[in-house]
Amino acid sequence: MMKKLALLLLIISFHLQAQIPAGYYDNAQGLSGYQLKTALKNIITNSHNPHSYSDLYTCYQTSDTDNYYENDGTVLDMYSEKPNGPDAYEYHHISDKCGNYSGEGSCYNREHLVPQSVFGSAAPMKSDAHFVVPTDGYVNNRRSNYPFGEVSNPTWTSTNGSKLGHNSTSGYNGIVFEPIDEFKGDIARMLFYFATRYEDQVAGWDHDMLNHTSNQVFSNWFLNILLQWHYNDPVSQREIDRNNAVYNFQGNRNPYIDHPEWVAQIWDPTNATPNNKTNKWVIYPNPIPDHVLHIKNLNQDKIQEIDIMDLSGKKIQIVQKNFKNIHLPLELQGMYILLIKSQENTSVKKIIVE
């Protein structure tokens, strides 16, 4: 967990900060735990300018367009997107919205990651683009009002591998819907947003994902799943762009995309990364002109592994010996993440390869 949190902290520090409006999170500084969550609730509520339900289709044209996989300008649907191959079908904005559907590929509509029945289809929840997303109408219907979860023996599988079946993790054995790994972190952070934005109402709502409190909000079994999804699937460029687009649409932001380390500080404090943590080791030179990275003041006996990653979190190189002088792949150029995993902690730093 610490490894993922450290990576997220670095991505935030060097990749997202310029996108966050100056002073937007000032009232959350220095806080942690549920005090931090309440401060964030006030920030994202006061800046929220709700739109009509029909306006979501307009928002999706900028927030949910495929500029990342096929890169063809069609609707980016987490329930049908195949990250590593051609999609079984695709939708064009506005012209392909539902309508009636008889199976996958008929049309797309608006999926509430927390079902509308939970909050009685009331505003502003019904039209909040931070957790209402475009999906295939038929898959949306198959997901129904079931919780999200992990499925080992699916009773139904969509064309992109999303699954329906009994939950396989401890604490709950009811029917759940499992999205593909590519979007699990996205969905978890959308649900953390929901728990924060509607903190003052959620305790009165009933669903197996919820525990009838305004602080933790989620049932223990479900919180464990969300945390794992959050750690295993770090913030992506697609999420960053979507957060900015929704901010332009309705005026508020998802704080857990801007500051993913806040998830642990609120819901998983034993794995939160201290803000004042410093490292004695030094990287030089940085920028790196000759593809040889030097690290000094490093206790090699305690180092377990050093990873070089791109800004999406993809591992480019894994180093398990000779840590003080690392020869980087010659094709590397640009900004990367150096992650040093020791027996004591995980540390991160930005590197630039010339």
Side-chain angles (χ1 to χ4, degrees):
M1 287 185 180
M2 290 298 292
K3 177 178 178 179
K4 294 295 179 183
L5 286 170
L7 172 59
L8 293 171
L9 282 166
L10 182 70
I11 293 172
I12 280 296
S13 297
F14 293 102
H15 197 53
L16 295 184
Q17 198 65 44
Q19 303 290 343
I20 305 171
Y24 188 79
Y25 292 116
D26 280 359
N27 290 339
Q29 298 305 310
L31 300 176
S32 62
Y34 295 135
Q35 287 185 331
L36 171 59
K37 178 166 162 284
T38 298
L40 294 174
K41 180 263 187 301
N42 292 331
I43 291 168
I44 63 179
T45 298
N46 293 337
S47 58
H48 187 180
N49 299 310
H51 284 254
S52 71
Y53 191 42
S54 61
D55 285 343
L56 285 173
Y57 285 114
T58 301
C59 176
Y60 295 154
Q61 294 179 69
T62 55
S63 65
D64 295 271
T65 292
D66 188 352
N67 298 318
Y68 313 93
Y69 302 102
E70 283 76 22
N71 194 26
D72 57 7
T74 58
V75 176
L76 205 168
D77 165 18
M78 294 187 290
Y79 292 175
S80 66
E81 178 61 50
K82 293 183 176 181
N84 300 315
D87 299 336
Y89 50 87
E90 61 185 24
Y91 295 124
H92 294 90
H93 286 286
I94 305 301
S95 62
D96 289 333
K97 64 182 182 180
C98 295
N100 298 321
Y101 47 81
S102 56
E104 280 195 70
S106 297
C107 57
Y108 77 101
N109 59 14
R110 296 154 294 193
E111 157 75 315
H112 295 76
L113 299 181
V114 176
Q116 289 194 66
S117 58
V118 172
F119 48 84
S121 301
M125 290 74 70
K126 181 176 180 177
S127 60
D128 189 335
H130 277 300
F131 83 99
V132 186
V133 298
T135 66
D136 176 82
Y138 181 77
V139 183
N140 183 355
N141 180 260
R142 292 301 301 257
R143 186 253 162 152
S144 186
N145 293 339
Y146 295 122
F148 291 102
E150 298 276 348
V151 178
S152 296
N153 298 299
T155 57
W156 179 82
T157 304
S158 77
T159 58
N160 85 329
S162 299
K163 297 179 286 188
L164 193 68
H166 287 277
N167 189 58
S168 60
T169 66
S170 63
Y172 186 77
N173 62 2
I175 297 175
V176 298
F177 183 85
E178 180 181 356
I180 62 172
D181 292 346
E182 179 78 6
F183 301 115
K184 285 179 177 177
D186 307 48
I187 289 172
R189 286 178 283 275
M190 290 178 181
L191 293 176
F192 286 129
Y193 163 89
F194 180 89
T196 303
R197 171 62 180 87
Y198 303 107
E199 176 185 85
D200 56 341
Q201 303 175 66
V202 68
W205 296 336
D206 186 51
H207 194 275
D208 287 349
M209 294 186 293
L210 308 177
N211 75 341
H212 299 290
T213 70
S214 61
N215 46 28
Q216 179 173 304
V217 175
F218 301 111
S219 301
N220 289 336
W221 72 270
F222 188 59
L223 177 60
N224 290 335
I225 288 174
L226 291 183
L227 289 171
Q228 197 63 45
W229 288 5
H230 169 68
Y231 294 137
N232 289 346
D233 177 27
V235 172
S236 65
Q237 187 62 49
R238 174 266 208 260
E239 282 184 89
I240 297 165
D241 295 341
R242 188 178 199 279
N243 195 24
N244 292 328
V246 175
Y247 169 72
N248 290 333
F249 172 71
Q250 64 182 46
N252 68 345
R253 302 184 67 81
N254 183 334
Y256 307 110
I257 296 172
D258 289 334
H259 286 278
E261 73 277 12
W262 282 345
V263 169
Q265 291 180 21
I266 294 170
W267 281 284
D268 192 21
T270 59
N271 282 302
T273 301
N275 293 327
N276 60 354
K277 192 172 191 175
T278 59
N279 301 295
K280 296 180 179 180
W281 48 267
V282 177
I283 293 174
Y284 69 96
N286 194 15
I288 303 163
D290 58 0
H291 288 79
V292 180
L293 172 64
H294 305 281
I295 308 177
K296 66 180 181 180
N297 300 330
L298 190 67
N299 187 340
Q300 294 202 80
D301 293 337
K302 293 186 176 181
I303 301 302
Q304 297 171 324
E305 182 176 292
I306 296 179
D307 296 337
I308 311 297
M309 301 182 175
D310 64 21
L311 292 180
S312 72
K314 178 183 178 182
K315 289 184 180 181
I316 304 297
Q317 182 179 4
I318 299 174
V319 181
Q320 296 178 323
K321 61 181 180 179
N322 301 325
F323 298 121
K324 290 188 176 181
N325 299 291
I326 300 174
H327 291 262
L328 303 173
L330 294 178
E331 65 270 18
L332 293 193
Q333 185 176 14
M335 186 181 299
Y336 296 89
I337 296 163
L338 179 74
L339 187 147
I340 299 180
K341 182 178 180 181
S342 74
Q343 298 171 10
E344 299 172 343
N345 57 59
T346 299
S347 304
V348 289
K349 190 171 180 65
K350 175 191 73 172
I351 60 173
I352 297 175
V353 183
E354 294 181 335

